[in-house]
């Protein structure tokens, strides 16, 4: 704890002392033991479902890896990010909730915070890339046909570099990772914004480049797609069967991407709101019991995507089978 105190001299100079530098143990749970046990069981279920679901997506994709389209390659990368959160991060928090305190000290706290932010940022930037891919495929066909598999792999390299940069920036002395107010989890040190102008600049940079800007790109892309689809649905009906089938496949991928983005943002926006309030609101004004709910909701985001894949795939398979039956019946009638 003395090491952390030296990292936060600005805090003491400004008179604001964050919760993790106050007298009580920052890693002791501030929740009741019953609440910690419930949270531990909840995260265990989420972790198992997420691991199995995303592992299944990666396994099935690996069997047809040479046939994956660029958007599907991005979807696999999203499953890798979700699996990383489940395998690397969730065991730390599950053990800590059941133990009624964070069990891994400051080193484990920094590692857990880095891993959560790294994979979370990777997920959001991957969804941003997917939304742009969908936008180009649907709204700008000339650009959409130009995008090939090797462009997708270049995009993956950029995504991982982007996530690595922003997750590692706090270790360069401009930020930090710290325990949550309830004690059994760790995150970005949002409370630096209460201590100094440099802390505010750090938090604002994270919010803009790792949340607001990607979200704005996603919203823009799907709004343009919806408007385009409304205006072009009648046109596609006049094309031949091959073009119609290609259009149906593109729309299937677009629906998957839209639902994934919606699920991710619904899970993470409450946590982002609480984090911003902790950073720029009245110090320690967020009740500890209230702050744990958005955190647990955000941790469930990795579980939704495999469910979305399966629902859309089942609907697509049903539509395709009905189309084949209709085509066969028409041939027989002729």
């Amino acid at each position: 704890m003395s090491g952390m105190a030296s990292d936060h001299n600005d805090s003491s100079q400004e008179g604001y002392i964050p919760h993790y530098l106050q007298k009580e143990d920052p890693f002791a749970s501030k929740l009741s033991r019953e609440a910690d046990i419930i949270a531990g069981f909840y995260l265990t279920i989420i972790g198992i479902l997420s691991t199995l679901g995303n592992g299944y997506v990666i396994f099935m994709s690996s069997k047809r890896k040479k046939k994956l389209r660029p958007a599907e390659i991005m979807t696999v990368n999203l499953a890798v990010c979700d699996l990383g959160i489940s395998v690397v991060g969730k065991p730390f928090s599950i053990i800590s909730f059941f133990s009624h305190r964070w069990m891994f000290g400051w080193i484990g706290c920094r590692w857990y915070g880095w891993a959560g932010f790294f994979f979370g940022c990777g997920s959001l930037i991957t969804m941003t890339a997917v939304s742009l891919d969908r936008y180009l495929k649907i709204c700008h066909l000339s650009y959409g046909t130009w995008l090939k598999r090797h462009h997708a792999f270049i995009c993956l390299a950029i995504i991982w570099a982007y996530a690595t940069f922003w997750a590692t920036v706090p270790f360069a002395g401009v930020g930090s990772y710290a325990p949550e107010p309830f004690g059994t989890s760790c995150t970005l040190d949002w409370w630096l914004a209460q201590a100094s102008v440099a802390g505010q600049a750090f938090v604002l940079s994270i919010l803009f480049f790792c949340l607001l800007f990607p979200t704005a790109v996603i919203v823009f892309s799907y709004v343009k797609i919806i408007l385009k689809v409304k205006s072009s649905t009648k046109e596609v009906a006049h094309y031949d069967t091959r073009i119609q089938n290609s259009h149906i496949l593109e729309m299937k991928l677009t629906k998957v991407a839209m639902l994934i983005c919606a699920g991710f943002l619904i899970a993470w926006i409450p946590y982002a709101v609480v984090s911003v309030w902790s950073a720029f609101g009245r110090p320690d004004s967020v009740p500890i019991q209230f702050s744990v709910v958005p955190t647990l909701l955000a941790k469930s985001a990795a579980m939704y995507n495999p469910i979305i894949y399966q629902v859309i795939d089942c609907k697509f398979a049903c539509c395709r089978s009905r189309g084949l039956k209709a085509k066969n019946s028409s041939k027989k009638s002729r």
Side-chain angles (χ1 to χ4, degrees):
M1 190 161 167
S2 60
M4 285 302 295
S6 63
D7 292 339
H8 294 275
N9 289 331
D10 291 338
S11 301
S12 59
Q13 290 175 2
E14 296 292 335
Y16 170 70
I17 303 177
H19 62 275
Y20 52 84
L21 292 181
Q22 295 173 6
K23 291 184 179 180
E24 61 265 18
D25 184 356
F27 297 130
S29 176
K30 310 304 187 297
L31 305 174
S32 65
R33 187 171 291 276
E34 291 77 14
D36 275 336
I37 291 174
I38 292 172
F41 276 116
Y42 167 81
L43 289 180
T44 300
I45 294 171
I46 294 295
I48 291 173
L49 293 177
S50 175
T51 301
L52 293 177
N54 288 293
Y56 175 77
V57 170
I58 295 170
F59 172 73
M60 294 303 295
S61 299
S62 67
K63 296 175 69 174
R64 51 184 294 267
K65 56 187 177 183
K66 293 184 179 180
K67 297 181 180 179
L68 292 176
R69 301 157 69 92
E72 293 173 315
I73 293 172
M74 293 296 176
T75 301
V76 174
N77 189 63
L78 188 59
V80 171
C81 291
D82 291 340
L83 185 64
I85 291 174
S86 301
V87 173
V88 175
K90 281 190 172 60
F92 286 80
S93 54
I94 290 171
I95 292 171
S96 297
F97 273 113
F98 280 125
S99 302
H100 198 50
R101 66 173 287 110
W102 178 258
M103 298 295 294
F104 306 99
W106 280 108
I107 294 177
C109 182
R110 290 180 178 124
W111 160 251
Y112 178 86
W114 181 89
F117 186 47
F118 172 72
F119 288 114
C121 182
S123 294
L124 183 56
I125 303 305
T126 300
M127 285 185 284
T128 306
V130 170
S131 69
L132 286 173
D133 173 80
R134 298 292 84 211
Y135 170 69
L136 293 173
K137 287 282 187 181
I138 303 298
C139 300
H140 298 281
L141 295 178
S142 59
Y143 290 102
T145 55
W146 175 77
L147 291 172
K148 304 299 181 183
R149 280 171 57 95
H150 67 275
H151 295 114
F153 290 114
I154 292 172
C155 191
L156 290 185
I158 295 173
I159 289 169
W160 287 111
Y162 193 92
T164 301
F165 173 78
W166 284 107
T168 310
V169 159
F171 294 126
V174 296
S176 184
Y177 294 99
E180 301 264 18
F182 51 87
T184 46
S185 181
C186 292
T187 184
L188 274 170
D189 192 348
W190 302 104
W191 302 271
L192 283 175
Q194 298 281 356
S196 66
V197 175
Q200 292 176 1
F202 163 72
V203 171
L204 288 173
S205 298
I206 291 291
L207 286 172
F208 179 79
F209 289 104
C210 301
L211 179 63
L212 297 179
F213 178 69
T215 302
V217 173
I218 290 170
V219 171
F220 168 82
S221 298
Y222 290 124
V223 168
K224 297 292 286 186
I225 288 170
I226 291 170
L227 295 175
K228 180 67 175 179
V229 169
K230 283 186 177 181
S231 65
S232 63
T233 301
K234 293 181 181 179
E235 298 176 11
V236 175
H238 299 293
Y239 295 155
D240 61 37
T241 304
R242 183 177 60 82
I243 295 177
Q244 288 182 7
N245 290 338
S246 177
H247 179 75
I248 291 171
L249 179 57
E250 294 296 344
M251 291 311 301
K252 175 220 172 184
L253 293 173
T254 303
K255 287 179 181 179
V256 170
M258 290 177 70
L259 288 173
I260 287 172
C261 292
F264 184 90
L265 294 176
I266 289 170
W268 278 97
I269 282 178
Y271 179 78
V273 170
V274 171
S275 299
V276 171
W277 184 259
S278 300
F280 299 102
R282 189 163 51 86
D284 305 323
S285 59
V286 179
I288 291 176
Q289 289 75 13
F290 178 75
S291 67
V292 71
V293 176
T295 302
L296 294 177
L297 178 63
K299 292 180 186 298
S300 69
M303 180 188 68
Y304 304 147
N305 297 341
I307 298 174
I308 293 171
Y309 304 149
Q310 294 305 311
V311 170
I312 296 293
D313 278 342
C314 288
K315 289 179 66 178
F316 183 66
C318 290
C319 293
R320 189 166 51 189
S321 63
R322 284 199 296 268
L324 289 173
K325 288 180 181 177
K327 188 184 292 185
N328 292 333
S329 63
S330 65
K331 286 181 179 179
K332 289 179 181 178
S333 64
R334 285 199 295 271

